[in-house]
Amino acid sequence: MKIIRSPTSMAAWSEQLRRQGVKIGFVPTMGALHEGHRALIREARLRCDALVVSIFVNPTQFGPQEDLAKYPRTISQDRALCRKEDVDVSFEPTVEAMYPSGFQTMVTLPTIARRWEGEVRPHHFSGVATVVTKLFGVIRPQIALFGQKDFQQSALVRQLVKDLNLGVEIVVYPTVRETDGLSMSSRNIYLSPDDRIRATTLYKSLQAGAEIIRSGVSDGQAVQAAMAQVVEKEPTLTVDYLVVCDPHSLEPLSAVTSRVVLLGAVRIGSVRLIDNILTNPPRRSS
Ligand code: PAF
């Protein structure tokens, strides 16, 4: 596996392969790789000829009070995982290379990024959209894979690719979970043993919402109440949002008539967890 740190060298490597007709696949990450990333990398490996994984803790997507400085950095283990999964290039640019002095342009996404994570983390999605656009520009992949766990991020990347004609096929891979249902995340290591047990409540509440939808309840408020009821049993959790939304626009729904996404975010102490479930109402018999 090659380790490339300079965007210019990365672009040259990609350009050479593209000229030979090689299909380049890409998995963007901030490192601290876990089984969720491994699943994305394996899926990407099956869909391309040459595979690039980026490992870059992107400062522009962290707010001033967020965990940029203490975000887990495990580069040796990350490289070992990538080597094992037959990744061709680990792209590891420095912050200075990605954002040299004089850097000015930021990408903004008005509608889809406004609610939910966008409300709680005002600059986050602009940072994500900017770095993804830059990484696509350097690597020029034909296909890129994102995890469903960051549902709103995947939705905005699709919008970004469409609006800016970036010409990258976006694949969203299902969330990988621990055996008790907690979605895998690099931030799970921040949880104390007790909080780690409590953390499963978020997924349980989303499951409760999905269950009543599948049983035929279509009132959005009733679904939200069912989710909230599960979280309320765990008073150490603070809810940022637990909502029923249209899976494309991410607008909240008052009635469930077709496929929906249940989005949730909670805080346990200083740790913030997000998760989601896609579900359908029961089919009407004719
Ligand atoms: O999902 C992530 O790890 C990050 O938001 C991404 C897409 C790598 C951009 O920094």
Side-chain angles (χ1 to χ4, degrees):
M1 181 181 78
K2 258 174 130 54
I3 295 167
I4 301 183
R5 296 190 62 95
S6 130
T8 315
S9 310
M10 183 70 247
W13 184 89
S14 288
E15 181 56 25
Q16 202 190 358
L17 291 193
R18 281 179 77 100
R19 280 198 191 163
Q20 294 164 17
V22 170
K23 180 174 179 185
I24 300 172
F26 175 42
V27 178
T29 83
M30 297 207 299
L33 303 183
H34 50 66
E35 290 306 308
H37 293 111
R38 193 195 295 278
L40 276 181
I41 292 170
R42 284 192 177 162
E43 182 64 24
R45 187 67 277 178
L46 298 173
R47 290 170 179 255
C48 68
D49 306 315
L51 177 56
V52 180
V53 170
S54 64
I55 299 177
F56 178 63
V57 183
N58 173 38
T60 62
Q61 69 189 74
F62 288 78
Q65 310 304 328
E66 291 180 2
D67 57 345
L68 173 62
K70 70 166 193 162
Y71 194 82
R73 286 159 170 90
T74 57
I75 193 69
S76 316
Q77 291 100 299
D78 295 348
R79 286 179 184 161
L81 185 151
C82 288
R83 276 197 192 96
K84 195 150 180 260
E85 298 306 330
D86 201 19
V87 170
D88 294 288
V89 174
S90 173
F91 178 46
E92 303 169 13
T94 60
V95 172
E96 294 70 31
M98 290 297 277
Y99 300 108
S101 103
F103 178 89
Q104 295 183 28
T105 308
M106 294 295 289
V107 179
T108 58
L109 294 107
T111 312
I112 207 158
R114 204 183 54 210
R115 289 183 189 274
W116 321 128
E117 287 306 283
E119 226 162 281
V120 184
R121 308 179 69 190
H123 305 292
H124 173 65
F125 283 137
S126 174
V128 170
T130 303
V131 82
V132 168
T133 307
K134 282 175 70 70
L135 290 166
F136 283 179
V138 171
I139 298 162
R140 298 194 51 224
Q142 280 91 343
I143 181 166
L145 282 86
F146 291 80
Q148 188 194 315
K149 189 202 140 234
D150 296 296
F151 193 90
Q152 196 174 4
Q153 170 172 279
S154 306
L156 79 83
V157 169
R158 282 190 201 282
Q159 187 75 39
L160 173 76
V161 166
K162 185 168 160 240
D163 291 349
L164 300 186
N165 306 91
L166 298 182
V168 181
E169 181 192 346
I170 302 300
V171 174
V172 178
Y173 192 77
T175 305
V176 179
R177 300 183 180 280
E178 305 281 359
T179 46
D180 61 2
L182 179 68
S183 64
M184 296 224 178
S185 162
S186 305
R187 290 184 168 103
N188 288 351
I189 58 159
Y190 299 153
L191 292 164
S192 69
D194 283 348
D195 286 346
R196 168 64 190 79
I197 295 166
R198 293 182 188 115
T200 57
T201 309
L202 173 57
Y203 183 52
K204 286 183 190 142
S205 79
L206 295 172
Q207 281 179 307
E211 214 167 286
I212 75 158
I213 288 174
R214 288 194 294 262
S215 77
V217 173
S218 63
D219 177 59
Q221 291 290 341
V223 176
Q224 265 165 233
M227 295 194 287
Q229 213 175 26
V230 175
V231 175
E232 276 156 18
K233 287 191 197 131
E234 193 50 80
T236 52
L237 261 64
T238 314
V239 175
D240 276 346
Y241 56 83
L242 266 175
V243 286
V244 189
C245 296
D246 177 279
H248 305 290
S249 68
L250 303 191
E251 290 297 311
L253 294 169
S254 54
V256 178
T257 53
S258 57
R259 193 163 175 74
V260 294
V261 62
L262 305 178
L263 297 174
V266 298
R267 290 170 199 263
I268 309 182
S270 61
V271 184
R272 223 175 143 260
L273 302 171
I274 61 171
D275 203 348
N276 65 85
I277 290 184
L278 279 162
T279 195
N280 294 299
R283 267 203 215 129
R284 279 204 213 126
S285 47
S286 47

